[in-house]
Amino acid sequence: MTTARAIVAETPGQLVVRDVQLTDPAPGEVLVRVDTTGICHTDISWASGAVNDRFPVIPGHETSGVVEAVGSAVTRFAPGDRVVAALSHHCGHCYYCESGHPMLCVERTIDHPRVTDRGEHVLQGFGVGGFSTHILVGESSLVSVPDDVPLDVAALVGCAIATGLGSVFTIAQVRPGSRSLVIGAGGIGLSVLMGLHTTGAEQIVVIEPDAARREHALRLGATDALAPGDDRLHSLTDDGFDYAFETAGLTSTIEDAIQLARPGGTIVLIGAPAAHEHFRVPALDFVATQKRLLGCITGDLSPVSDFDRYFRMYARGMLPLDDLVSGTATLDEAAELLSSGVPAGSIRILVHP
């Protein structure tokens, strides 16, 4: 049994920092001492009850750290190894795993009774529960981090980077010379932008309400960065964009992305709307224009191969991932940010428990 200090969302909007108990690692499990966990918007949404109504929960899923102990059947890791959590939590042998889509594995959403708080079972947010001094996860949920990659950067690869780059490389399979649109310039939106930049996109237009984030997008390679409703948008394309990536998770911006894609264009939906939300598509127009509408969950991640590629690209200077870090926080400060929201213009606040 390991005692860990963690943020526990007891009910929507009610967060406390206190000790929880982690069971000893089962044969296929790994105990990790957390180094870094990024504050993702979906953590804030779960803590408020917007995307999930299951409580109590320890939020946090962009998590890196160092292995402290392993179960008897673990073969890939040993104490002292540097690792990052992957959100696939996959079994490795079902149809989806064997066809190259571990993020669709049914094992991914199964809760495991690993954490308790005063005798009550506590959920691990997104299977990780990273706002804690320690996490306990299955061996398949971890990837080794090379020595030349900081654990701060590795944590971001676990969600924002994997989602943004995977949406470009794996989901949309963007072709060089594209005209692309990105709605939202948070951690995932800027990761989409970096992915598009590496593909040789001819035009990358970003729509973002926050002025500081628009400037950030321009520094990372956007050709244009506009506020919502800016009339200049329609002058930047004659018949729409080849690819439109929606990362804000709003029904209004989802519908905008669909409208702004050209005939035959591809729309990728990445943002996480509230569970009850629905969007509308003009049916006949959608059929007649032969647009493609694709969903994206963590970039359809294949953890070992994709993380290795992203780490190598970072090490060669192709992905300026350090530029996504806006600041750091303690667990107590992070609990407040999960309640109040991160400061305007922030991309990723990194929590060091």
Side-chain angles (χ1 to χ4, degrees), residues 322-352:
D322 304 271
D323 288 348
L324 299 183
V325 179
S326 303
T328 62
T330 64
L331 278 180
D332 290 294
E333 292 166 341
E336 181 63 30
L337 292 171
L338 289 171
S339 297
S340 62
V342 297
S346 295
I347 307 302
R348 272 299 187 271
I349 303 294
L350 301 184
V351 181
H352 297 293

PDB file of all heavy atoms in Angstrom, residues 322-352:
ATOM      1  N   ASP A 322       8.574  22.880 -26.043  1.00  0.00           N
ATOM      2  CA  ASP A 322       8.791  23.692 -24.842  1.00  0.00           C
ATOM      3  C   ASP A 322       7.968  24.973 -24.892  1.00  0.00           C
ATOM      4  O   ASP A 322       7.620  25.543 -23.844  1.00  0.00           O
ATOM      5  CB  ASP A 322      10.272  24.044 -24.695  1.00  0.00           C
ATOM      6  CG  ASP A 322      11.157  22.815 -24.680  1.00  0.00           C
ATOM      7  OD1 ASP A 322      11.385  22.269 -23.597  1.00  0.00           O
ATOM      8  OD2 ASP A 322      11.600  22.388 -25.766  1.00  0.00           O
ATOM      9  N   ASP A 323       7.651  25.455 -26.098  1.00  0.00           N
ATOM     10  CA  ASP A 323       6.902  26.708 -26.236  1.00  0.00           C
ATOM     11  C   ASP A 323       5.460  26.598 -25.758  1.00  0.00           C
ATOM     12  O   ASP A 323       4.765  27.614 -25.663  1.00  0.00           O
ATOM     13  CB  ASP A 323       6.904  27.164 -27.704  1.00  0.00           C
ATOM     14  CG  ASP A 323       8.265  27.675 -28.144  1.00  0.00           C
ATOM     15  OD1 ASP A 323       9.125  27.893 -27.268  1.00  0.00           O
ATOM     16  OD2 ASP A 323       8.478  27.854 -29.351  1.00  0.00           O
ATOM     17  N   LEU A 324       4.991  25.394 -25.479  1.00  0.00           N
ATOM     18  CA  LEU A 324       3.618  25.238 -25.009  1.00  0.00           C
ATOM     19  C   LEU A 324       3.491  25.452 -23.503  1.00  0.00           C
ATOM     20  O   LEU A 324       2.379  25.556 -22.985  1.00  0.00           O
ATOM     21  CB  LEU A 324       3.097  23.836 -25.355  1.00  0.00           C
ATOM     22  CG  LEU A 324       3.035  23.476 -26.836  1.00  0.00           C
ATOM     23  CD1 LEU A 324       2.428  22.084 -27.015  1.00  0.00           C
ATOM     24  CD2 LEU A 324       2.243  24.510 -27.623  1.00  0.00           C
ATOM     25  N   VAL A 325       4.610  25.507 -22.792  1.00  0.00           N
ATOM     26  CA  VAL A 325       4.580  25.618 -21.332  1.00  0.00           C
ATOM     27  C   VAL A 325       4.405  27.077 -20.927  1.00  0.00           C
ATOM     28  O   VAL A 325       5.217  27.934 -21.280  1.00  0.00           O
ATOM     29  CB  VAL A 325       5.865  25.038 -20.712  1.00  0.00           C
ATOM     30  CG1 VAL A 325       5.830  25.190 -19.189  1.00  0.00           C
ATOM     31  CG2 VAL A 325       6.034  23.575 -21.100  1.00  0.00           C
ATOM     32  N   SER A 326       3.332  27.346 -20.160  1.00  0.00           N
ATOM     33  CA  SER A 326       3.039  28.710 -19.724  1.00  0.00           C
ATOM     34  C   SER A 326       3.436  28.974 -18.281  1.00  0.00           C
ATOM     35  O   SER A 326       3.545  30.131 -17.876  1.00  0.00           O
ATOM     36  CB  SER A 326       1.542  28.996 -19.871  1.00  0.00           C
ATOM     37  OG  SER A 326       1.109  28.805 -21.195  1.00  0.00           O
ATOM     38  N   GLY A 327       3.605  27.927 -17.477  1.00  0.00           N
ATOM     39  CA  GLY A 327       3.947  28.121 -16.075  1.00  0.00           C
ATOM     40  C   GLY A 327       3.846  26.812 -15.325  1.00  0.00           C
ATOM     41  O   GLY A 327       3.550  25.761 -15.895  1.00  0.00           O
ATOM     42  N   THR A 328       4.120  26.868 -14.034  1.00  0.00           N
ATOM     43  CA  THR A 328       4.075  25.682 -13.193  1.00  0.00           C
ATOM     44  C   THR A 328       3.209  25.946 -11.973  1.00  0.00           C
ATOM     45  O   THR A 328       2.892  27.089 -11.644  1.00  0.00           O
ATOM     46  CB  THR A 328       5.492  25.261 -12.740  1.00  0.00           C
ATOM     47  OG1 THR A 328       6.066  26.324 -11.963  1.00  0.00           O
ATOM     48  CG2 THR A 328       6.380  24.958 -13.931  1.00  0.00           C
ATOM     49  N   ALA A 329       2.824  24.841 -11.292  1.00  0.00           N
ATOM     50  CA  ALA A 329       1.959  24.962 -10.119  1.00  0.00           C
ATOM     51  C   ALA A 329       2.188  23.792  -9.176  1.00  0.00           C
ATOM     52  O   ALA A 329       2.645  22.719  -9.596  1.00  0.00           O
ATOM     53  CB  ALA A 329       0.488  25.006 -10.541  1.00  0.00           C
ATOM     54  N   THR A 330       1.881  23.999  -7.903  1.00  0.00           N
ATOM     55  CA  THR A 330       1.859  22.917  -6.925  1.00  0.00           C
ATOM     56  C   THR A 330       0.485  22.250  -6.972  1.00  0.00           C
ATOM     57  O   THR A 330      -0.438  22.725  -7.658  1.00  0.00           O
ATOM     58  CB  THR A 330       2.099  23.459  -5.517  1.00  0.00           C
ATOM     59  OG1 THR A 330       1.005  24.327  -5.169  1.00  0.00           O
ATOM     60  CG2 THR A 330       3.407  24.247  -5.448  1.00  0.00           C
ATOM     61  N   LEU A 331       0.330  21.168  -6.226  1.00  0.00           N
ATOM     62  CA  LEU A 331      -0.984  20.515  -6.172  1.00  0.00           C
ATOM     63  C   LEU A 331      -2.050  21.458  -5.634  1.00  0.00           C
ATOM     64  O   LEU A 331      -3.170  21.512  -6.157  1.00  0.00           O
ATOM     65  CB  LEU A 331      -0.915  19.261  -5.299  1.00  0.00           C
ATOM     66  CG  LEU A 331      -0.382  17.968  -5.924  1.00  0.00           C
ATOM     67  CD1 LEU A 331      -0.401  16.851  -4.887  1.00  0.00           C
ATOM     68  CD2 LEU A 331      -1.195  17.564  -7.149  1.00  0.00           C
ATOM     69  N   ASP A 332      -1.737  22.194  -4.581  1.00  0.00           N
ATOM     70  CA  ASP A 332      -2.730  23.107  -4.006  1.00  0.00           C
ATOM     71  C   ASP A 332      -3.110  24.197  -4.999  1.00  0.00           C
ATOM     72  O   ASP A 332      -4.283  24.554  -5.134  1.00  0.00           O
ATOM     73  CB  ASP A 332      -2.191  23.726  -2.717  1.00  0.00           C
ATOM     74  CG  ASP A 332      -2.101  22.715  -1.591  1.00  0.00           C
ATOM     75  OD1 ASP A 332      -3.160  22.242  -1.144  1.00  0.00           O
ATOM     76  OD2 ASP A 332      -0.976  22.385  -1.167  1.00  0.00           O
ATOM     77  N   GLU A 333      -2.116  24.743  -5.698  1.00  0.00           N
ATOM     78  CA  GLU A 333      -2.405  25.761  -6.703  1.00  0.00           C
ATOM     79  C   GLU A 333      -3.210  25.171  -7.856  1.00  0.00           C
ATOM     80  O   GLU A 333      -4.116  25.822  -8.396  1.00  0.00           O
ATOM     81  CB  GLU A 333      -1.098  26.358  -7.217  1.00  0.00           C
ATOM     82  CG  GLU A 333      -0.361  27.187  -6.175  1.00  0.00           C
ATOM     83  CD  GLU A 333       1.078  27.493  -6.563  1.00  0.00           C
ATOM     84  OE1 GLU A 333       1.630  26.795  -7.448  1.00  0.00           O
ATOM     85  OE2 GLU A 333       1.659  28.429  -5.981  1.00  0.00           O
ATOM     86  N   ALA A 334      -2.893  23.923  -8.227  1.00  0.00           N
ATOM     87  CA  ALA A 334      -3.615  23.276  -9.322  1.00  0.00           C
ATOM     88  C   ALA A 334      -5.079  23.052  -8.956  1.00  0.00           C
ATOM     89  O   ALA A 334      -5.963  23.184  -9.802  1.00  0.00           O
ATOM     90  CB  ALA A 334      -2.952  21.947  -9.671  1.00  0.00           C
ATOM     91  N   ALA A 335      -5.363  22.701  -7.704  1.00  0.00           N
ATOM     92  CA  ALA A 335      -6.745  22.521  -7.275  1.00  0.00           C
ATOM     93  C   ALA A 335      -7.542  23.802  -7.464  1.00  0.00           C
ATOM     94  O   ALA A 335      -8.699  23.783  -7.904  1.00  0.00           O
ATOM     95  CB  ALA A 335      -6.786  22.067  -5.817  1.00  0.00           C
ATOM     96  N   GLU A 336      -6.921  24.926  -7.178  1.00  0.00           N
ATOM     97  CA  GLU A 336      -7.589  26.211  -7.380  1.00  0.00           C
ATOM     98  C   GLU A 336      -7.812  26.493  -8.861  1.00  0.00           C
ATOM     99  O   GLU A 336      -8.872  26.971  -9.269  1.00  0.00           O
ATOM    100  CB  GLU A 336      -6.737  27.325  -6.750  1.00  0.00           C
ATOM    101  CG  GLU A 336      -7.327  28.716  -6.873  1.00  0.00           C
ATOM    102  CD  GLU A 336      -8.648  28.873  -6.159  1.00  0.00           C
ATOM    103  OE1 GLU A 336      -8.862  28.187  -5.142  1.00  0.00           O
ATOM    104  OE2 GLU A 336      -9.489  29.675  -6.628  1.00  0.00           O
ATOM    105  N   LEU A 337      -6.809  26.159  -9.695  1.00  0.00           N
ATOM    106  CA  LEU A 337      -6.940  26.390 -11.135  1.00  0.00           C
ATOM    107  C   LEU A 337      -8.010  25.497 -11.754  1.00  0.00           C
ATOM    108  O   LEU A 337      -8.704  25.908 -12.686  1.00  0.00           O
ATOM    109  CB  LEU A 337      -5.599  26.145 -11.830  1.00  0.00           C
ATOM    110  CG  LEU A 337      -4.488  27.157 -11.517  1.00  0.00           C
ATOM    111  CD1 LEU A 337      -3.155  26.681 -12.082  1.00  0.00           C
ATOM    112  CD2 LEU A 337      -4.846  28.535 -12.060  1.00  0.00           C
ATOM    113  N   LEU A 338      -8.155  24.278 -11.244  1.00  0.00           N
ATOM    114  CA  LEU A 338      -9.202  23.386 -11.753  1.00  0.00           C
ATOM    115  C   LEU A 338     -10.588  23.935 -11.432  1.00  0.00           C
ATOM    116  O   LEU A 338     -11.558  23.644 -12.148  1.00  0.00           O
ATOM    117  CB  LEU A 338      -9.045  21.983 -11.170  1.00  0.00           C
ATOM    118  CG  LEU A 338      -7.859  21.166 -11.672  1.00  0.00           C
ATOM    119  CD1 LEU A 338      -7.697  19.898 -10.848  1.00  0.00           C
ATOM    120  CD2 LEU A 338      -8.015  20.818 -13.141  1.00  0.00           C
ATOM    121  N   SER A 339     -10.691  24.716 -10.369  1.00  0.00           N
ATOM    122  CA  SER A 339     -11.974  25.312 -10.001  1.00  0.00           C
ATOM    123  C   SER A 339     -12.233  26.614 -10.748  1.00  0.00           C
ATOM    124  O   SER A 339     -13.345  26.866 -11.228  1.00  0.00           O
ATOM    125  CB  SER A 339     -12.025  25.578  -8.492  1.00  0.00           C
ATOM    126  OG  SER A 339     -11.943  24.394  -7.755  1.00  0.00           O
ATOM    127  N   SER A 340     -11.185  27.440 -10.865  1.00  0.00           N
ATOM    128  CA  SER A 340     -11.366  28.786 -11.418  1.00  0.00           C
ATOM    129  C   SER A 340     -11.009  28.893 -12.891  1.00  0.00           C
ATOM    130  O   SER A 340     -11.414  29.843 -13.571  1.00  0.00           O
ATOM    131  CB  SER A 340     -10.516  29.782 -10.626  1.00  0.00           C
ATOM    132  OG  SER A 340      -9.140  29.467 -10.730  1.00  0.00           O
ATOM    133  N   GLY A 341     -10.230  27.922 -13.403  1.00  0.00           N
ATOM    134  CA  GLY A 341      -9.753  27.996 -14.777  1.00  0.00           C
ATOM    135  C   GLY A 341      -8.355  28.581 -14.833  1.00  0.00           C
ATOM    136  O   GLY A 341      -7.954  29.347 -13.937  1.00  0.00           O
ATOM    137  N   VAL A 342      -7.612  28.237 -15.875  1.00  0.00           N
ATOM    138  CA  VAL A 342      -6.243  28.743 -16.016  1.00  0.00           C
ATOM    139  C   VAL A 342      -6.284  30.185 -16.479  1.00  0.00           C
ATOM    140  O   VAL A 342      -7.277  30.646 -17.064  1.00  0.00           O
ATOM    141  CB  VAL A 342      -5.435  27.874 -17.001  1.00  0.00           C
ATOM    142  CG1 VAL A 342      -5.307  26.459 -16.469  1.00  0.00           C
ATOM    143  CG2 VAL A 342      -6.061  27.883 -18.387  1.00  0.00           C
ATOM    144  N   PRO A 343      -5.218  30.965 -16.231  1.00  0.00           N
ATOM    145  CA  PRO A 343      -5.202  32.368 -16.654  1.00  0.00           C
ATOM    146  C   PRO A 343      -5.377  32.518 -18.162  1.00  0.00           C
ATOM    147  O   PRO A 343      -4.962  31.656 -18.944  1.00  0.00           O
ATOM    148  CB  PRO A 343      -3.811  32.849 -16.207  1.00  0.00           C
ATOM    149  CG  PRO A 343      -3.401  31.909 -15.124  1.00  0.00           C
ATOM    150  CD  PRO A 343      -4.001  30.583 -15.489  1.00  0.00           C
ATOM    151  N   ALA A 344      -5.998  33.604 -18.568  1.00  0.00           N
ATOM    152  CA  ALA A 344      -6.195  33.879 -19.991  1.00  0.00           C
ATOM    153  C   ALA A 344      -4.857  33.880 -20.715  1.00  0.00           C
ATOM    154  O   ALA A 344      -3.864  34.399 -20.209  1.00  0.00           O
ATOM    155  CB  ALA A 344      -6.887  35.227 -20.167  1.00  0.00           C
ATOM    156  N   GLY A 345      -4.843  33.272 -21.885  1.00  0.00           N
ATOM    157  CA  GLY A 345      -3.636  33.224 -22.692  1.00  0.00           C
ATOM    158  C   GLY A 345      -2.722  32.068 -22.389  1.00  0.00           C
ATOM    159  O   GLY A 345      -1.779  31.810 -23.146  1.00  0.00           O
ATOM    160  N   SER A 346      -2.982  31.347 -21.289  1.00  0.00           N
ATOM    161  CA  SER A 346      -2.134  30.202 -20.945  1.00  0.00           C
ATOM    162  C   SER A 346      -2.333  29.072 -21.953  1.00  0.00           C
ATOM    163  O   SER A 346      -3.423  28.882 -22.484  1.00  0.00           O
ATOM    164  CB  SER A 346      -2.461  29.686 -19.547  1.00  0.00           C
ATOM    165  OG  SER A 346      -2.139  30.658 -18.573  1.00  0.00           O
ATOM    166  N   ILE A 347      -1.280  28.314 -22.176  1.00  0.00           N
ATOM    167  CA  ILE A 347      -1.371  27.132 -23.019  1.00  0.00           C
ATOM    168  C   ILE A 347      -1.383  25.893 -22.125  1.00  0.00           C
ATOM    169  O   ILE A 347      -2.370  25.185 -22.061  1.00  0.00           O
ATOM    170  CB  ILE A 347      -0.180  27.067 -24.016  1.00  0.00           C
ATOM    171  CG1 ILE A 347      -0.083  28.394 -24.801  1.00  0.00           C
ATOM    172  CG2 ILE A 347      -0.387  25.874 -24.965  1.00  0.00           C
ATOM    173  CD1 ILE A 347      -1.330  28.770 -25.572  1.00  0.00           C
ATOM    174  N   ARG A 348      -0.290  25.628 -21.416  1.00  0.00           N
ATOM    175  CA  ARG A 348      -0.254  24.507 -20.491  1.00  0.00           C
ATOM    176  C   ARG A 348       0.449  24.932 -19.191  1.00  0.00           C
ATOM    177  O   ARG A 348       1.594  25.394 -19.216  1.00  0.00           O
ATOM    178  CB  ARG A 348       0.502  23.311 -21.073  1.00  0.00           C
ATOM    179  CG  ARG A 348      -0.359  22.361 -21.895  1.00  0.00           C
ATOM    180  CD  ARG A 348      -1.479  21.735 -21.057  1.00  0.00           C
ATOM    181  NE  ARG A 348      -2.199  20.704 -21.767  1.00  0.00           N
ATOM    182  CZ  ARG A 348      -3.264  20.927 -22.537  1.00  0.00           C
ATOM    183  NH1 ARG A 348      -3.699  22.150 -22.719  1.00  0.00           N
ATOM    184  NH2 ARG A 348      -3.881  19.916 -23.128  1.00  0.00           N
ATOM    185  N   ILE A 349      -0.260  24.768 -18.086  1.00  0.00           N
ATOM    186  CA  ILE A 349       0.335  24.904 -16.763  1.00  0.00           C
ATOM    187  C   ILE A 349       0.757  23.505 -16.325  1.00  0.00           C
ATOM    188  O   ILE A 349      -0.037  22.563 -16.374  1.00  0.00           O
ATOM    189  CB  ILE A 349      -0.672  25.471 -15.752  1.00  0.00           C
ATOM    190  CG1 ILE A 349      -1.236  26.826 -16.226  1.00  0.00           C
ATOM    191  CG2 ILE A 349      -0.030  25.612 -14.374  1.00  0.00           C
ATOM    192  CD1 ILE A 349      -0.215  27.935 -16.272  1.00  0.00           C
ATOM    193  N   LEU A 350       2.009  23.366 -15.902  1.00  0.00           N
ATOM    194  CA  LEU A 350       2.531  22.058 -15.499  1.00  0.00           C
ATOM    195  C   LEU A 350       2.549  21.971 -13.974  1.00  0.00           C
ATOM    196  O   LEU A 350       3.070  22.849 -13.291  1.00  0.00           O
ATOM    197  CB  LEU A 350       3.952  21.866 -16.038  1.00  0.00           C
ATOM    198  CG  LEU A 350       4.102  21.939 -17.564  1.00  0.00           C
ATOM    199  CD1 LEU A 350       5.535  21.624 -17.965  1.00  0.00           C
ATOM    200  CD2 LEU A 350       3.130  21.009 -18.267  1.00  0.00           C
ATOM    201  N   VAL A 351       1.980  20.888 -13.476  1.00  0.00           N
ATOM    202  CA  VAL A 351       1.881  20.666 -12.038  1.00  0.00           C
ATOM    203  C   VAL A 351       2.981  19.710 -11.620  1.00  0.00           C
ATOM    204  O   VAL A 351       3.143  18.635 -12.198  1.00  0.00           O
ATOM    205  CB  VAL A 351       0.499  20.081 -11.668  1.00  0.00           C
ATOM    206  CG1 VAL A 351       0.396  19.877 -10.160  1.00  0.00           C
ATOM    207  CG2 VAL A 351      -0.600  21.003 -12.170  1.00  0.00           C
ATOM    208  N   HIS A 352       3.749  20.105 -10.589  1.00  0.00           N
ATOM    209  CA  HIS A 352       4.817  19.274 -10.045  1.00  0.00           C
ATOM    210  C   HIS A 352       4.463  18.890  -8.607  1.00  0.00           C
ATOM    211  O   HIS A 352       4.698  19.656  -7.683  1.00  0.00           O
ATOM    212  CB  HIS A 352       6.156  20.030 -10.075  1.00  0.00           C
ATOM    213  CG  HIS A 352       6.623  20.379 -11.446  1.00  0.00           C
ATOM    214  ND1 HIS A 352       7.007  19.425 -12.370  1.00  0.00           N
ATOM    215  CD2 HIS A 352       6.761  21.586 -12.072  1.00  0.00           C
ATOM    216  CE1 HIS A 352       7.383  20.026 -13.486  1.00  0.00           C
ATOM    217  NE2 HIS A 352       7.228  21.315 -13.342  1.00  0.00           N
TER     218      HIS A 352
END
